Amino acid sequence: MESSVQEARQSIREEVRRLCQDFPDKYWQDVDKHEKYPKEFVDALTSSGYLAALIPEEYGGAGLGITEASIILEEINHCGGNSGACHAQMYTMGTLLRHGSDEQKRRYLPAIARGELRLQAFAVTEPNAGSETTRIETRAVRKGDRYVVNGQKIFISRAKHSDLMLLLARTTPYEELQDKTQGLSVFVLDMRDVKGNLDIQPLDIMVNHHTTTVFFEDVEIPVDNRIGEEGKGFRYIIDGWNAERILVASESIGDGHWFIERASRYASNRVVFGRPIGANQGIQFPIAKAYAHVEAADLMRFAAASKFERGEKCGAEANMAKLLASEAAWEAADVCMSTYGGYGFARDYDIERKFRETRLLVAAPVSNNMVLAFLGQNVLGMPKSY
Ligand SMILES: Cc1cc2nc3c(=O)[nH]c(=O)nc-3n(C[C@H](O)[C@H](O)[C@H](O)COP(=O)(O)OP(=O)(O)OC[C@H]3O[C@@H](n4cnc5c(N)ncnc54)[C@H](O)[C@@H]3O)c2cc1C
């Protein structure tokens, strides 16, 4: 790789690290404890331009690639922060960029890049469908120049902290479809000015993710806000999955490094039985092993990202990166907990907060079982379980 590209990436890393210094452990502990939205951090990331990393320069964004975007999210988590506060803007960008019309891009992207509009909510999951997205029931029925939406979504994060919601809804009843992957459509719902009843209810969950249940009752969306063709929405969402998996892997890699650094430092300083606990192999080796696993996942992340940037098929690498990184980070989290002994449970040490946040990435935005199913079935050609 050209050294200028490497230098540019290194300087992004350092700048994000500098930005994160203004948001130390205390800041994240406080937002977590009081379940606040880390608005100051998201504002700083927006005004630095990093949140608009994937928006092309012609629309006022930084025009960076998936590798750079992944480095940004990695560094936020590596510095102790929680990218979950704002990562949706990067996760969803591909759907708008690849399938949105020029008019939609002009309408939304410059304002998102300037920080005047927030695209932080992505509404797919439903109680009766779960991982089986093609079973979603929220209906969007066309009436003239509008769609009227009725239904319910669950686990929708940041809906109260976003202006726009990228919504997947059913436009053709399931029973009428020959091909069950058709019949769903993607919309940009502008939540600032909703006609109908949009009811957003907080969910009480173990991480500070501002996750909600969203009820739609006769919510109107102009036809102009449909992305791409009617009925092709599932395809558009799938198109974004590789980028999403690379980005989420990077967050886990950041978490993994954070835990390993904390664990190594604590193990070197904490003296029990007259010597640092890290001199004991029972403490040292698990930390070293977790480190090796995080580093291996990191290589897979870069392999996936460079294939993605070259426009090559990268489903296998992107899925493996997500699997390996989330498992390695969770291993590092567990090892760090053991290293800290009882202190790992004390909120002041911040380990338990990260422990909770890190576990999430094993299950969401896609569960590792679904990732294994992709590898088993699509890469290795074994029979399908669904
Ligand atoms: C904090 C948080 C934030 C979230 N944010 C969002 C958001 O912003 N937007 C959004 O749309 N969704 C969001 N989600 C939802 C998340 O993507 C789903 O929870 C996830 O996709 C799984 O759906 P489910 O919980 O219904 O699990 P289920 O589908 O009920 O699955 C339960 C378990 O069974 C496994 N399983 C199911 N079928 C199979 C099979 N055939 N083979 C093997 N294993 C199987 C699953 O992998 C999983 O482990 C969020 C979830 C959480 C917890």
Side-chain angles (χ1 to χ4, degrees), residues 87-88 91 120-133 153-159 166 168 203 205-212 244 359-360 362-373 377 384-386:
H87 58 196
Y91 285 11
Q120 292 291 3
F122 186 33
V124 174
T125 306
E126 294 189 11
N128 293 334
S131 308
E132 195 178 359
T133 304
K153 296 279 175 185
I154 194 161
F155 293 122
I156 309 310
S157 301
R158 302 161 302 271
L166 207 67
L168 185 71
L203 267 175
I205 57 169
M206 71 184 239
V207 280
N208 184 32
H209 217 74
H210 300 271
T211 302
T212 64
E244 186 187 86
R359 181 60 179 81
L360 174 65
V362 174
V366 59
S367 127
N368 279 355
N369 273 3
M370 292 295 110
V371 169
L372 288 167
Q377 296 159 18
K384 276 188 179 287
S385 66
Y386 50 83

Side-chain angles (χ1 to χ4, degrees), residues 26 118 362:
K26 264 269 147 284
R118 297 165 302 173
V362 174

